[in-house]
Amino acid sequence: MIIPKGDIAAAVYRGMVLSVGGEIWSGQTELCPWDPTQTCNINQVPTHDCIALDPDTAPASVTERSGTNTAGSVAGTNGKPGVWVPLAPNPGARFRFAGVAHAASQALWVFGGTKDQLQVVDTVSAFYDTDHAGVYVHYKA
């Protein structure tokens, strides 16, 4: 992946595998709750990003290690590793949430999640991949 992270939502959308949001390391550590003799990383820093693994796009260079043209480890139908592509960001940084691709609406829907050190949200967002600038649409009651 472009950025190492956990607690993402993932879905298959228009032939690509999308990874939305997630949590990254805060740069801090503390004693592990299950073993106080060890130190654990404190993650729980929510991210906004949305990236897609396009399994049928060959990377520009097999030696390249970072950036938008980084090869993934998944081989596509062309037999070559796919490429991670950044897409429009999620409007709210979050992790531990659900996401699903819906064919009829042509959208990737993102539901709820955790933000700001365990504060949960009840928002729903829809991502539409178009030929125009990436846009998230917010629906409000």
Side-chain angles (χ1 to χ4, degrees):
M1 297 176 68
I2 295 172
I3 300 169
K5 57 186 177 167
D7 286 331
I8 63 168
V12 175
Y13 176 77
R14 294 188 172 184
M16 298 182 293
V17 180
L18 268 61
S19 164
V20 182
E23 66 177 338
I24 59 174
W25 183 43
S26 66
Q28 299 176 4
T29 60
E30 65 182 16
L31 295 178
C32 298
W34 61 87
D35 185 353
T37 64
Q38 295 186 24
T39 303
C40 293
N41 292 339
I42 302 172
N43 294 321
Q44 299 180 347
V45 176
T47 64
H48 289 265
D49 68 318
C50 181
I51 57 174
L53 177 63
D54 189 347
D56 292 325
T57 303
S61 167
V62 293
T63 59
E64 196 171 339
R65 297 280 182 216
S66 63
T68 60
N69 226 7
T70 301
S73 60
V74 179
T77 56
N78 64 10
K80 297 180 181 178
V83 173
W84 286 103
V85 179
L87 301 174
N90 191 19
R94 60 177 110 179
F95 59 97
R96 295 183 189 147
F97 60 99
V100 63
H102 185 253
S105 66
Q106 294 292 301
L108 173 69
W109 293 88
V110 178
F111 304 93
T114 304
K115 69 170 198 165
D116 301 331
Q117 299 297 333
L118 303 180
Q119 179 184 12
V120 296
V121 297
D122 61 358
T123 58
V124 177
S125 301
F127 173 80
Y128 298 90
D129 189 25
T130 67
D131 292 334
H132 306 290
V135 175
Y136 264 92
V137 177
H138 297 268
Y139 291 93
K140 288 193 163 192

